[in-house]
Amino acid sequence: MTPNAPRYLKETPSQTAGPYVHIGLAPEAAGLRAVGRPLAGDPAAPGCPGRRIAVEGVVLDGTGTPLRDALIEVWQADHMGRHRHPEDPRANEVDPRFRGFGRVCAGFEDGLWRFETVKPGPVPWPGGGLQAPHITFWIVARGINMGLHTRMYFGDEPEANAADPLLAMIEQPSRRETLISRPEPDPGGGPTVHRFEIRLQGPLETVFLDV
Amino acid sequence: MSTPHDYLPRDPAWRTPAFAPFYKTTVHRAPRAPLLSLRNTLSEITGPVFGHDDIGPLDNDLIRNYAQDGEPVGERIILHGRVLDENARPVPGALIEIWQANAAGRYRHRNDRYLAPLDPNFGGCGRTLADDEGRYAFRTIKPGPYPWGNDSNSWRPAHVHVSVFGRAFAQRLITQLYFEGDPLIPRCPIVRTLPDPAGVELLTARLDMNAAIPFDCLAYRFDIVLRGRRATPFENRPEGT
Ligand SMILES: [Fe+3]
């Protein structure tokens, strides 16, 4: 090797999380006494500033069957579009109760997952402009060799979504729709529930991201 | 315009493909459309930060963190290594979570129906943070191989599941580590989803006699490499700055 040759390593390859992912990442759900305390639940604790929402859905395989062994991680900005992370220039303005990271398991019987949070604000796009409010999703399960990245945008933000630079990169309008939630406002004034189905295959296959 | 913050794109010839029909579960679960490639935004270069508050004193010691009234059975081992990025720099503060079967190949999970026994003193779950030089260590029991339903006589090589958070959500990784010398490694359909044999080598933990504790436990070394960042000798500045 020449003295100035750059030294790059190869990334450790991914392998499936398998069916027993709960033991390590959600021991409470596996029926295990947790080590330490649970690492993550909802992204925003009750009392965080912002509009409270719930998000729920299923992950469907190519036959339309819900996955009952999936684990989903979510990551999001706060209600003003700021992340709790040192590389966000506005990180020190984030409310201490807001973490932005959540972990949920598909139900062992029905595959349904659900979390509560606050609706994120718009996030800057590199080089200028804003992205529409969105929540980042990462999905692992048996039969998924590499965690799948995607995003959920909000069905009640049509103007922001129409101007979003990532959504604009998706050529087919029907594919763009796979990233947009179906909001169901609560007539009683409770949190709006955003429904979001993630389809691994088929004509309505969710757009997954190479981030 | 390129920012110095971008993570290196994943190499399509190296990454584990979604569709691998000999691993049958992928057939109905692998997305078929190409992934949408995008520049990193703040949503990808940020991610959750973990600290010592997230870790309990026994979390990295699977020999003791579930023990009821004795020691778990099986081969006592230390699993240790470093978390680096593709630029060969350590990733301090990386969170490593592991889970595994017991010495008999049985998981403590409601859905594991294998006839091998549970060990009342073994849970199979641990977590730790990498130190300032990216080093981490667990103490555990070497897991046993177990059968699974891919083919009528499929056996998983002994393995530990490993989940890692670096600094950014773009670095998120879940993988499995195998043990040097296991004849089941090349027969495993999940191992064979890796497109490059060099990838299998990176997932193989090596016996490390120098880290063994005499009359107590053997040691295996497993280094983890997360995505690195683009080097930009010439930075294009946005106009007007
Ligand atoms: Fe396993």
Short mmCIF file of all heavy atoms in Angstrom, two decimals, chain A residues 9 11-16 22 33 36-37 62 69 73 75 85 87 103 134 142-143 145 151 169 200-201 205 208 210-211, chain B residues 10 14 16-17 23 27-33 36 43-44 46-47 59 65 86 97 109 127 167 172 175-176 178 225 227 229:
data_model
loop_
_atom_site.label_atom_id
_atom_site.label_comp_id
_atom_site.label_asym_id
_atom_site.label_seq_id
_atom_site.Cartn_x
_atom_site.Cartn_y
_atom_site.Cartn_z
N LEU A 9 -12.79 1.37 5.05
CA LEU A 9 -13.28 0.06 5.45
C LEU A 9 -14.61 -0.18 4.74
O LEU A 9 -15.27 0.76 4.31
CB LEU A 9 -13.47 0.02 6.97
CG LEU A 9 -12.25 0.42 7.80
CD1 LEU A 9 -12.61 0.45 9.29
CD2 LEU A 9 -11.10 -0.57 7.56
N GLU A 11 -18.52 -1.30 4.96
CA GLU A 11 -19.57 -1.32 5.98
C GLU A 11 -19.89 -2.77 6.37
O GLU A 11 -19.94 -3.66 5.52
CB GLU A 11 -20.84 -0.67 5.41
CG GLU A 11 -21.96 -0.52 6.44
CD GLU A 11 -23.29 -0.09 5.83
OE1 GLU A 11 -23.45 -0.16 4.60
OE2 GLU A 11 -24.17 0.31 6.62
N THR A 12 -20.10 -3.00 7.66
CA THR A 12 -20.55 -4.32 8.11
C THR A 12 -21.87 -4.64 7.42
O THR A 12 -22.82 -3.86 7.47
CB THR A 12 -20.76 -4.31 9.64
OG1 THR A 12 -19.52 -3.99 10.27
CG2 THR A 12 -21.24 -5.67 10.14
N PRO A 13 -21.96 -5.80 6.73
CA PRO A 13 -23.19 -6.08 5.98
C PRO A 13 -24.38 -6.32 6.91
O PRO A 13 -24.23 -6.76 8.04
CB PRO A 13 -22.86 -7.36 5.21
CG PRO A 13 -21.38 -7.53 5.29
CD PRO A 13 -20.94 -6.84 6.54
N SER A 14 -25.55 -6.04 6.39
CA SER A 14 -26.79 -6.24 7.13
C SER A 14 -27.25 -7.70 7.05
O SER A 14 -27.01 -8.39 6.06
CB SER A 14 -27.87 -5.34 6.52
OG SER A 14 -29.12 -5.61 7.10
N GLN A 15 -27.92 -8.17 8.12
CA GLN A 15 -28.62 -9.44 8.10
C GLN A 15 -29.99 -9.22 8.72
O GLN A 15 -30.17 -8.28 9.52
CB GLN A 15 -27.87 -10.51 8.91
CG GLN A 15 -26.52 -10.90 8.31
CD GLN A 15 -26.62 -12.09 7.38
OE1 GLN A 15 -26.40 -13.23 7.76
NE2 GLN A 15 -26.97 -11.83 6.12
N THR A 16 -30.93 -10.09 8.41
CA THR A 16 -32.29 -9.93 8.94
C THR A 16 -32.31 -9.87 10.47
O THR A 16 -31.50 -10.53 11.12
CB THR A 16 -33.20 -11.07 8.46
OG1 THR A 16 -34.50 -10.90 9.04
CG2 THR A 16 -32.69 -12.44 8.87
N HIS A 22 -37.69 -8.79 19.27
CA HIS A 22 -38.19 -8.17 20.51
C HIS A 22 -37.29 -8.42 21.70
O HIS A 22 -37.18 -7.58 22.59
CB HIS A 22 -39.59 -8.70 20.82
CG HIS A 22 -40.47 -8.78 19.62
ND1 HIS A 22 -40.52 -9.90 18.81
CD2 HIS A 22 -41.27 -7.86 19.05
CE1 HIS A 22 -41.34 -9.66 17.80
NE2 HIS A 22 -41.81 -8.44 17.91
N ARG A 33 -38.26 -9.77 31.39
CA ARG A 33 -37.96 -8.67 32.29
C ARG A 33 -36.88 -7.85 31.58
O ARG A 33 -35.85 -8.38 31.18
CB ARG A 33 -37.43 -9.24 33.61
CG ARG A 33 -37.29 -8.23 34.72
CD ARG A 33 -36.60 -8.88 35.91
NE ARG A 33 -35.22 -9.22 35.57
CZ ARG A 33 -34.66 -10.38 35.82
NH1 ARG A 33 -35.34 -11.35 36.38
NH2 ARG A 33 -33.39 -10.59 35.51
N GLY A 36 -32.05 -3.08 32.18
CA GLY A 36 -32.13 -1.64 32.39
C GLY A 36 -33.58 -1.20 32.34
O GLY A 36 -34.47 -1.86 32.84
N ARG A 37 -33.83 -0.07 31.70
CA ARG A 37 -35.22 0.35 31.52
C ARG A 37 -35.48 0.42 30.02
O ARG A 37 -34.56 0.45 29.22
CB ARG A 37 -35.48 1.67 32.23
CG ARG A 37 -34.48 2.75 31.92
CD ARG A 37 -34.61 3.87 32.98
NE ARG A 37 -33.79 5.00 32.61
CZ ARG A 37 -34.18 5.95 31.77
NH1 ARG A 37 -35.37 5.90 31.21
NH2 ARG A 37 -33.39 6.95 31.47
N GLY A 62 -46.51 -9.18 0.39
CA GLY A 62 -47.00 -9.20 -0.99
C GLY A 62 -48.32 -9.91 -1.16
O GLY A 62 -48.99 -9.74 -2.18
N ASP A 69 -44.41 -9.82 13.08
CA ASP A 69 -43.10 -9.87 13.73
C ASP A 69 -42.27 -8.63 13.40
O ASP A 69 -41.07 -8.61 13.64
CB ASP A 69 -42.33 -11.14 13.35
CG ASP A 69 -42.28 -11.37 11.84
OD1 ASP A 69 -42.16 -10.38 11.09
OD2 ASP A 69 -42.37 -12.53 11.41
N GLU A 73 -39.00 1.58 13.87
CA GLU A 73 -38.43 2.73 14.57
C GLU A 73 -38.81 3.99 13.81
O GLU A 73 -38.85 4.00 12.57
CB GLU A 73 -36.91 2.61 14.66
CG GLU A 73 -36.50 1.50 15.61
CD GLU A 73 -35.01 1.37 15.80
OE1 GLU A 73 -34.25 1.99 15.03
OE2 GLU A 73 -34.61 0.64 16.71
N TRP A 75 -38.28 8.40 13.66
CA TRP A 75 -37.40 9.51 14.02
C TRP A 75 -38.01 10.76 13.40
O TRP A 75 -38.42 10.73 12.24
CB TRP A 75 -36.00 9.25 13.48
CG TRP A 75 -35.04 10.40 13.64
CD1 TRP A 75 -34.45 11.11 12.64
CD2 TRP A 75 -34.56 10.94 14.87
NE1 TRP A 75 -33.63 12.07 13.17
CE2 TRP A 75 -33.68 12.00 14.54
CE3 TRP A 75 -34.79 10.66 16.22
CZ2 TRP A 75 -33.03 12.77 15.51
CZ3 TRP A 75 -34.14 11.43 17.19
CH2 TRP A 75 -33.27 12.46 16.82
N HIS A 85 -30.39 16.71 18.27
CA HIS A 85 -29.14 16.11 17.77
C HIS A 85 -28.13 17.24 17.56
O HIS A 85 -28.50 18.31 17.04
CB HIS A 85 -29.39 15.38 16.45
CG HIS A 85 -28.21 14.62 15.95
ND1 HIS A 85 -27.21 15.22 15.20
CD2 HIS A 85 -27.84 13.34 16.10
CE1 HIS A 85 -26.29 14.30 14.90
NE2 HIS A 85 -26.64 13.15 15.44
N GLU A 87 -26.05 17.99 15.36
CA GLU A 87 -25.86 18.57 14.02
C GLU A 87 -27.04 19.39 13.54
O GLU A 87 -27.00 19.94 12.44
CB GLU A 87 -25.48 17.48 13.01
CG GLU A 87 -24.07 16.99 13.29
CD GLU A 87 -23.54 16.05 12.25
OE1 GLU A 87 -23.64 16.36 11.06
OE2 GLU A 87 -23.02 15.00 12.65
N ARG A 103 -40.05 3.57 19.14
CA ARG A 103 -39.94 2.18 18.71
C ARG A 103 -41.28 1.51 19.00
O ARG A 103 -41.77 1.63 20.12
CB ARG A 103 -38.87 1.51 19.58
CG ARG A 103 -37.95 0.58 18.87
CD ARG A 103 -36.91 0.11 19.86
NE ARG A 103 -35.59 0.13 19.26
CZ ARG A 103 -34.50 -0.23 19.89
NH1 ARG A 103 -34.55 -0.58 21.16
NH2 ARG A 103 -33.34 -0.20 19.27
N HIS A 134 -42.79 15.49 8.04
CA HIS A 134 -42.74 14.05 7.79
C HIS A 134 -42.14 13.34 8.99
O HIS A 134 -41.46 13.97 9.81
CB HIS A 134 -41.92 13.73 6.54
CG HIS A 134 -40.49 14.17 6.64
ND1 HIS A 134 -40.07 15.43 6.25
CD2 HIS A 134 -39.38 13.54 7.12
CE1 HIS A 134 -38.77 15.55 6.47
NE2 HIS A 134 -38.32 14.42 7.01
N ARG A 142 -38.34 -10.53 10.17
CA ARG A 142 -37.94 -11.76 9.50
C ARG A 142 -38.14 -11.58 7.99
O ARG A 142 -39.15 -11.01 7.56
CB ARG A 142 -38.89 -12.83 10.04
CG ARG A 142 -38.73 -14.22 9.60
CD ARG A 142 -39.65 -15.10 10.46
NE ARG A 142 -41.07 -14.78 10.26
CZ ARG A 142 -41.89 -15.40 9.42
NH1 ARG A 142 -41.46 -16.39 8.68
NH2 ARG A 142 -43.15 -15.05 9.31
N GLY A 143 -37.21 -12.02 7.19
CA GLY A 143 -37.37 -11.94 5.73
C GLY A 143 -37.03 -10.57 5.15
O GLY A 143 -37.12 -10.39 3.95
N ASN A 145 -33.90 -8.40 4.67
CA ASN A 145 -32.45 -8.57 4.81
C ASN A 145 -31.75 -7.31 5.27
O ASN A 145 -30.65 -7.37 5.82
CB ASN A 145 -31.83 -9.03 3.49
CG ASN A 145 -32.15 -10.49 3.21
OD1 ASN A 145 -32.34 -11.28 4.13
ND2 ASN A 145 -32.22 -10.85 1.93
N ARG A 151 -40.70 7.24 4.63
CA ARG A 151 -41.20 8.41 5.34
C ARG A 151 -42.71 8.41 5.28
O ARG A 151 -43.29 7.96 4.29
CB ARG A 151 -40.75 9.70 4.63
CG ARG A 151 -39.33 10.07 4.84
CD ARG A 151 -39.05 11.37 4.11
NE ARG A 151 -37.69 11.83 4.39
CZ ARG A 151 -37.23 13.03 4.06
NH1 ARG A 151 -38.06 13.89 3.45
NH2 ARG A 151 -36.01 13.38 4.34
N MET A 169 -39.56 14.10 -6.42
CA MET A 169 -38.64 13.19 -7.12
C MET A 169 -39.32 11.89 -7.55
O MET A 169 -38.75 11.11 -8.32
CB MET A 169 -37.45 12.83 -6.20
CG MET A 169 -36.47 13.98 -5.99
SD MET A 169 -35.41 13.68 -4.54
CE MET A 169 -34.60 12.16 -5.04
N LEU A 200 -45.08 -3.91 1.36
CA LEU A 200 -43.75 -4.34 0.94
C LEU A 200 -43.70 -4.69 -0.54
O LEU A 200 -42.63 -4.67 -1.14
CB LEU A 200 -43.30 -5.55 1.78
CG LEU A 200 -43.21 -5.29 3.30
CD1 LEU A 200 -42.77 -6.57 4.02
CD2 LEU A 200 -42.25 -4.15 3.61
N GLN A 201 -44.85 -5.04 -1.11
CA GLN A 201 -44.91 -5.44 -2.53
C GLN A 201 -46.27 -5.09 -3.09
O GLN A 201 -47.19 -4.79 -2.34
CB GLN A 201 -44.72 -6.97 -2.68
CG GLN A 201 -43.37 -7.49 -2.33
CD GLN A 201 -43.32 -9.01 -2.45
OE1 GLN A 201 -44.33 -9.68 -2.70
NE2 GLN A 201 -42.13 -9.56 -2.28
N GLU A 205 -47.00 -0.79 -3.75
CA GLU A 205 -45.78 -0.92 -2.94
C GLU A 205 -45.29 0.44 -2.46
O GLU A 205 -45.18 1.39 -3.25
CB GLU A 205 -44.69 -1.61 -3.79
CG GLU A 205 -43.38 -1.82 -3.03
CD GLU A 205 -42.31 -2.50 -3.90
OE1 GLU A 205 -42.59 -3.56 -4.49
OE2 GLU A 205 -41.19 -1.96 -3.97
N PHE A 208 -39.59 3.03 -0.91
CA PHE A 208 -38.53 2.92 0.10
C PHE A 208 -37.31 3.71 -0.37
O PHE A 208 -37.09 3.88 -1.57
CB PHE A 208 -38.18 1.45 0.36
CG PHE A 208 -39.34 0.70 0.98
CD1 PHE A 208 -40.13 -0.14 0.21
CD2 PHE A 208 -39.67 0.87 2.31
CE1 PHE A 208 -41.22 -0.81 0.76
CE2 PHE A 208 -40.75 0.21 2.88
CZ PHE A 208 -41.53 -0.64 2.11
N ASP A 210 -33.22 5.02 -0.39
CA ASP A 210 -31.80 4.74 -0.26
C ASP A 210 -31.20 6.02 0.32
O ASP A 210 -30.79 6.90 -0.42
CB ASP A 210 -31.23 4.41 -1.63
CG ASP A 210 -29.76 4.07 -1.59
OD1 ASP A 210 -29.25 3.78 -0.50
OD2 ASP A 210 -29.13 4.11 -2.66
N VAL A 211 -31.17 6.13 1.65
CA VAL A 211 -30.83 7.42 2.26
C VAL A 211 -29.31 7.60 2.35
O VAL A 211 -28.58 6.64 2.37
CB VAL A 211 -31.46 7.57 3.67
CG1 VAL A 211 -32.96 7.44 3.58
CG2 VAL A 211 -30.88 6.58 4.64
N ARG B 10 -24.39 3.78 -0.11
CA ARG B 10 -24.13 2.34 0.01
C ARG B 10 -23.82 1.76 -1.36
O ARG B 10 -24.44 2.13 -2.36
CB ARG B 10 -25.31 1.64 0.65
CG ARG B 10 -25.33 1.90 2.16
CD ARG B 10 -26.48 1.19 2.85
NE ARG B 10 -26.22 1.07 4.29
CZ ARG B 10 -27.09 1.40 5.25
NH1 ARG B 10 -28.27 1.87 4.93
NH2 ARG B 10 -26.77 1.26 6.51
N TRP B 14 -22.34 -4.47 -2.71
CA TRP B 14 -21.93 -4.94 -1.38
C TRP B 14 -23.13 -5.13 -0.46
O TRP B 14 -23.16 -6.03 0.37
CB TRP B 14 -20.95 -3.92 -0.78
CG TRP B 14 -20.45 -4.24 0.59
CD1 TRP B 14 -20.88 -3.68 1.76
CD2 TRP B 14 -19.45 -5.18 0.96
NE1 TRP B 14 -20.21 -4.21 2.83
CE2 TRP B 14 -19.31 -5.14 2.36
CE3 TRP B 14 -18.64 -6.07 0.23
CZ2 TRP B 14 -18.41 -5.94 3.06
CZ3 TRP B 14 -17.75 -6.87 0.93
CH2 TRP B 14 -17.64 -6.79 2.32
N THR B 16 -26.70 -6.07 1.20
CA THR B 16 -27.46 -7.31 1.18
C THR B 16 -28.75 -7.08 0.38
O THR B 16 -29.54 -6.21 0.73
CB THR B 16 -27.80 -7.74 2.62
OG1 THR B 16 -26.65 -7.57 3.44
CG2 THR B 16 -28.24 -9.19 2.65
N PRO B 17 -28.96 -7.83 -0.71
CA PRO B 17 -30.17 -7.59 -1.52
C PRO B 17 -31.44 -8.01 -0.78
O PRO B 17 -31.41 -8.94 0.04
CB PRO B 17 -29.94 -8.46 -2.76
CG PRO B 17 -29.00 -9.53 -2.32
CD PRO B 17 -28.14 -8.94 -1.22
N TYR B 23 -33.73 -17.92 0.60
CA TYR B 23 -34.23 -17.56 1.93
C TYR B 23 -35.70 -17.22 1.70
O TYR B 23 -36.05 -16.13 1.29
CB TYR B 23 -33.43 -16.39 2.50
CG TYR B 23 -33.94 -15.80 3.80
CD1 TYR B 23 -34.79 -16.52 4.66
CD2 TYR B 23 -33.59 -14.51 4.18
CE1 TYR B 23 -35.25 -15.96 5.84
CE2 TYR B 23 -34.05 -13.95 5.37
CZ TYR B 23 -34.89 -14.68 6.19
OH TYR B 23 -35.36 -14.11 7.35
N VAL B 27 -39.36 -13.85 -0.24
CA VAL B 27 -40.09 -13.86 -1.51
C VAL B 27 -41.33 -12.95 -1.45
O VAL B 27 -41.60 -12.21 -2.39
CB VAL B 27 -40.44 -15.30 -1.93
CG1 VAL B 27 -41.38 -15.30 -3.15
CG2 VAL B 27 -39.16 -16.08 -2.25
N HIS B 28 -42.06 -12.99 -0.34
CA HIS B 28 -43.24 -12.12 -0.22
C HIS B 28 -42.97 -10.84 0.56
O HIS B 28 -43.87 -10.04 0.79
CB HIS B 28 -44.40 -12.87 0.43
CG HIS B 28 -44.96 -13.95 -0.43
ND1 HIS B 28 -45.45 -13.72 -1.70
CD2 HIS B 28 -45.08 -15.29 -0.23
CE1 HIS B 28 -45.86 -14.87 -2.23
NE2 HIS B 28 -45.63 -15.83 -1.36
N ARG B 29 -41.72 -10.67 1.01
CA ARG B 29 -41.43 -9.49 1.84
C ARG B 29 -40.42 -8.53 1.23
O ARG B 29 -40.17 -7.47 1.78
CB ARG B 29 -40.95 -9.95 3.23
CG ARG B 29 -42.05 -10.67 4.02
CD ARG B 29 -41.66 -10.95 5.45
NE ARG B 29 -42.82 -11.40 6.23
CZ ARG B 29 -42.84 -11.49 7.54
NH1 ARG B 29 -41.77 -11.19 8.26
NH2 ARG B 29 -43.93 -11.90 8.18
N ALA B 30 -39.80 -8.90 0.13
CA ALA B 30 -38.79 -8.04 -0.48
C ALA B 30 -39.47 -7.03 -1.40
O ALA B 30 -40.18 -7.41 -2.33
CB ALA B 30 -37.80 -8.87 -1.28
N PRO B 31 -39.27 -5.72 -1.18
CA PRO B 31 -39.77 -4.74 -2.15
C PRO B 31 -39.15 -5.01 -3.51
O PRO B 31 -38.00 -5.43 -3.62
CB PRO B 31 -39.30 -3.40 -1.58
CG PRO B 31 -39.06 -3.65 -0.12
CD PRO B 31 -38.61 -5.08 -0.03
N ARG B 32 -39.94 -4.77 -4.58
CA ARG B 32 -39.46 -5.06 -5.94
C ARG B 32 -39.03 -3.80 -6.67
O ARG B 32 -38.23 -3.87 -7.59
CB ARG B 32 -40.54 -5.78 -6.74
CG ARG B 32 -41.02 -7.08 -6.10
CD ARG B 32 -39.87 -8.05 -5.93
NE ARG B 32 -40.26 -9.22 -5.14
CZ ARG B 32 -40.67 -10.36 -5.67
NH1 ARG B 32 -40.76 -10.51 -6.95
NH2 ARG B 32 -41.00 -11.37 -4.86
N ALA B 33 -39.59 -2.64 -6.30
CA ALA B 33 -39.22 -1.41 -7.01
C ALA B 33 -37.85 -0.96 -6.52
O ALA B 33 -37.46 -1.25 -5.38
CB ALA B 33 -40.26 -0.32 -6.74
N LEU B 36 -35.55 4.74 -3.81
CA LEU B 36 -35.41 6.14 -4.25
C LEU B 36 -34.17 6.72 -3.58
O LEU B 36 -34.10 6.80 -2.36
CB LEU B 36 -36.66 6.93 -3.85
CG LEU B 36 -36.67 8.40 -4.26
CD1 LEU B 36 -36.86 8.55 -5.77
CD2 LEU B 36 -37.77 9.16 -3.52
N SER B 43 -33.01 15.10 8.30
CA SER B 43 -33.76 13.94 8.82
C SER B 43 -32.90 12.68 8.84
O SER B 43 -33.17 11.75 9.61
CB SER B 43 -34.99 13.67 7.96
OG SER B 43 -35.83 14.80 7.93
N GLU B 44 -31.87 12.61 7.97
CA GLU B 44 -31.03 11.40 7.90
C GLU B 44 -29.70 11.56 8.62
O GLU B 44 -29.13 10.58 9.10
CB GLU B 44 -30.75 11.04 6.43
CG GLU B 44 -31.97 10.54 5.68
CD GLU B 44 -32.87 11.66 5.21
OE1 GLU B 44 -32.36 12.72 4.82
OE2 GLU B 44 -34.10 11.49 5.26
N THR B 46 -29.22 13.29 11.31
CA THR B 46 -29.44 13.29 12.75
C THR B 46 -29.95 11.91 13.15
O THR B 46 -30.20 11.05 12.30
CB THR B 46 -30.46 14.36 13.14
OG1 THR B 46 -31.69 14.09 12.46
CG2 THR B 46 -29.98 15.76 12.76
N GLY B 47 -30.12 11.71 14.43
CA GLY B 47 -30.64 10.44 14.93
C GLY B 47 -30.59 10.48 16.45
O GLY B 47 -30.01 11.41 17.02
N ASP B 59 -26.29 -4.48 32.17
CA ASP B 59 -26.86 -4.64 30.82
C ASP B 59 -25.91 -5.33 29.84
O ASP B 59 -26.35 -5.94 28.88
CB ASP B 59 -27.30 -3.29 30.25
CG ASP B 59 -28.60 -2.79 30.87
OD1 ASP B 59 -29.12 -3.46 31.78
OD2 ASP B 59 -29.07 -1.72 30.45
N ASN B 65 -27.28 -10.84 33.97
CA ASN B 65 -28.41 -9.91 33.99
C ASN B 65 -29.78 -10.58 34.02
O ASN B 65 -30.80 -9.89 34.13
CB ASN B 65 -28.31 -8.87 32.86
CG ASN B 65 -28.53 -9.43 31.47
OD1 ASN B 65 -29.06 -10.53 31.29
ND2 ASN B 65 -28.13 -8.68 30.45
N GLU B 86 -16.56 3.94 7.98
CA GLU B 86 -15.83 3.53 6.78
C GLU B 86 -14.56 4.34 6.57
O GLU B 86 -13.68 3.93 5.81
CB GLU B 86 -16.73 3.66 5.54
CG GLU B 86 -17.84 2.63 5.49
CD GLU B 86 -18.83 2.95 4.38
OE1 GLU B 86 -19.52 3.98 4.45
OE2 GLU B 86 -18.88 2.17 3.43
N GLU B 97 -26.93 -3.13 20.83
CA GLU B 97 -27.89 -3.99 21.50
C GLU B 97 -27.75 -5.39 20.90
O GLU B 97 -27.63 -5.51 19.68
CB GLU B 97 -29.32 -3.48 21.29
CG GLU B 97 -29.56 -2.12 21.94
CD GLU B 97 -30.87 -1.49 21.46
OE1 GLU B 97 -30.90 -0.95 20.34
OE2 GLU B 97 -31.85 -1.55 22.21
N HIS B 109 -38.60 -16.46 24.05
CA HIS B 109 -39.57 -15.69 23.26
C HIS B 109 -40.82 -16.54 23.10
O HIS B 109 -40.72 -17.74 22.83
CB HIS B 109 -38.98 -15.34 21.89
CG HIS B 109 -39.78 -14.35 21.10
ND1 HIS B 109 -40.96 -14.66 20.49
CD2 HIS B 109 -39.55 -13.03 20.85
CE1 HIS B 109 -41.44 -13.58 19.86
NE2 HIS B 109 -40.60 -12.58 20.07
N ARG B 127 -27.24 -4.71 26.27
CA ARG B 127 -26.93 -3.47 25.55
C ARG B 127 -25.76 -2.77 26.21
O ARG B 127 -25.50 -2.93 27.41
CB ARG B 127 -28.15 -2.55 25.47
CG ARG B 127 -28.66 -2.03 26.79
CD ARG B 127 -29.72 -0.93 26.60
NE ARG B 127 -31.06 -1.44 26.49
CZ ARG B 127 -32.07 -1.09 27.32
NH1 ARG B 127 -31.87 -0.24 28.30
NH2 ARG B 127 -33.26 -1.59 27.16
N ARG B 167 -24.12 7.84 14.83
CA ARG B 167 -24.50 9.23 15.08
C ARG B 167 -25.73 9.65 14.31
O ARG B 167 -26.32 10.67 14.59
CB ARG B 167 -23.37 10.16 14.62
CG ARG B 167 -22.11 10.04 15.40
CD ARG B 167 -21.12 11.10 14.94
NE ARG B 167 -19.78 10.75 15.36
CZ ARG B 167 -18.94 10.04 14.65
NH1 ARG B 167 -19.26 9.64 13.43
NH2 ARG B 167 -17.74 9.75 15.13
N ARG B 172 -28.01 3.49 10.65
CA ARG B 172 -28.70 2.42 11.41
C ARG B 172 -28.39 1.06 10.79
O ARG B 172 -28.48 0.88 9.57
CB ARG B 172 -30.20 2.71 11.36
CG ARG B 172 -31.03 1.88 12.28
CD ARG B 172 -30.91 2.30 13.71
NE ARG B 172 -31.71 1.44 14.58
CZ ARG B 172 -31.26 0.29 15.08
NH1 ARG B 172 -30.05 -0.14 14.84
NH2 ARG B 172 -32.03 -0.45 15.86
N THR B 175 -27.48 -6.59 12.23
CA THR B 175 -26.80 -7.70 11.56
C THR B 175 -26.72 -8.89 12.51
O THR B 175 -27.39 -8.91 13.55
CB THR B 175 -25.42 -7.25 11.04
OG1 THR B 175 -24.88 -8.27 10.22
CG2 THR B 175 -24.46 -6.92 12.17
N GLN B 176 -25.94 -9.91 12.14
CA GLN B 176 -25.74 -11.08 12.99
C GLN B 176 -24.26 -11.41 12.95
O GLN B 176 -23.62 -11.29 11.91
CB GLN B 176 -26.54 -12.29 12.47
CG GLN B 176 -28.03 -12.02 12.35
CD GLN B 176 -28.81 -13.23 11.86
OE1 GLN B 176 -28.43 -14.37 12.05
NE2 GLN B 176 -29.94 -12.95 11.21
N TYR B 178 -21.33 -14.38 13.53
CA TYR B 178 -21.12 -15.83 13.54
C TYR B 178 -19.78 -16.12 14.20
O TYR B 178 -18.99 -15.20 14.45
CB TYR B 178 -21.18 -16.37 12.10
CG TYR B 178 -22.48 -15.97 11.43
CD1 TYR B 178 -22.53 -14.89 10.55
CD2 TYR B 178 -23.66 -16.63 11.74
CE1 TYR B 178 -23.73 -14.50 9.97
CE2 TYR B 178 -24.86 -16.24 11.17
CZ TYR B 178 -24.90 -15.18 10.28
OH TYR B 178 -26.09 -14.78 9.73
N VAL B 225 -18.40 -1.91 11.46
CA VAL B 225 -18.12 -0.73 10.64
C VAL B 225 -19.44 -0.11 10.17
O VAL B 225 -20.24 -0.77 9.50
CB VAL B 225 -17.24 -1.07 9.42
CG1 VAL B 225 -16.97 0.19 8.58
CG2 VAL B 225 -15.94 -1.72 9.86
N ARG B 227 -21.45 3.30 8.22
CA ARG B 227 -21.17 4.17 7.07
C ARG B 227 -20.31 5.37 7.48
O ARG B 227 -20.48 5.93 8.55
CB ARG B 227 -22.48 4.69 6.49
CG ARG B 227 -23.23 3.61 5.76
CD ARG B 227 -24.60 4.06 5.44
NE ARG B 227 -24.60 5.06 4.38
CZ ARG B 227 -25.72 5.67 3.97
NH1 ARG B 227 -26.86 5.41 4.55
NH2 ARG B 227 -25.67 6.53 2.99
N ARG B 229 -18.28 9.20 6.10
CA ARG B 229 -18.71 10.44 5.46
C ARG B 229 -17.80 10.78 4.30
O ARG B 229 -16.61 10.47 4.30
CB ARG B 229 -18.70 11.57 6.48
CG ARG B 229 -19.91 11.42 7.37
CD ARG B 229 -20.02 12.53 8.33
NE ARG B 229 -21.42 12.89 8.45
CZ ARG B 229 -21.89 13.75 9.33
NH1 ARG B 229 -21.10 14.35 10.16
NH2 ARG B 229 -23.17 14.00 9.38
#
